[in-house]
Amino acid sequence: MNDNEAILKIDYNEIPVTDMEAAKAFYAGAFGWSFIDFGPAYAAFENTGLDGGLRLEDKAFATGCLIILKAKDILAAEVRVEEAGGKIINREDFPGGRRFHFTDPSGNELAIWSPNGKYDPQAANDPDE
């Protein structure tokens, strides 16, 4: 592991919401945030001090906000998470790159993303591979 990969920093924070328009109205009214829509299920927020977005969910997200770290080498990050006792629960590609979600030993869900590459479709659908 090189020095650039030794420490992963928080890069992004997602707030799960069940009503996108109500959430945008709340955060705009309460805190003055503005939004950039990326389709009906995602809106990045601006003027917040930390990059992030609102992510539409069918039901309340059990662990609350999703903290997302950034890695240059996402496969190495997966190995590090598992070796430290984390459990990978999902892998996904998206227009800006790819990410995986994991739980820590206490059950908190976090994610790590990378702008580099895409997952193998079979591996992305089977977190136990």
Side-chain angles (χ1 to χ4, degrees):
M1 176 179 354
N2 66 40
D3 288 342
N4 291 334
E5 285 294 306
I7 299 172
L8 297 183
K9 295 182 180 178
I10 295 173
D11 184 62
Y12 205 78
N13 190 23
E14 286 184 344
I15 301 172
V17 301
T18 56
D19 182 328
M20 183 62 72
E21 293 310 312
K24 286 170 34 179
F26 170 78
Y27 287 105
F31 308 123
W33 297 1
S34 55
F35 300 91
I36 300 172
D37 292 326
F38 290 93
Y42 201 86
F45 44 71
E46 298 183 301
N47 307 320
T48 63
L50 177 69
D51 289 339
L54 305 176
R55 183 184 73 252
L56 189 62
E57 295 284 342
D58 293 334
K59 59 184 179 178
F61 198 64
T63 61
C65 296
L66 181 66
I67 294 174
I68 303 171
L69 297 92
K70 184 177 181 182
K72 289 181 183 176
D73 185 342
I74 198 165
L75 299 177
E78 285 188 22
V79 170
R80 290 173 54 201
V81 163
E82 289 182 315
E83 287 178 349
K87 180 175 189 237
I88 296 172
I89 58 173
N90 185 43
R91 293 179 179 96
E92 63 185 85
D93 293 325
F94 59 94
R98 60 184 167 167
R99 75 182 188 186
F100 69 92
H101 292 227
F102 64 95
T103 54
D104 70 10
S106 295
N108 297 301
E109 184 173 340
L110 293 90
I112 297 179
W113 85 284
S114 176
N116 303 318
K118 299 287 182 193
Y119 278 111
D120 173 278
Q122 265 188 320
N125 292 325
D126 187 359
D128 293 326
E129 287 292 306

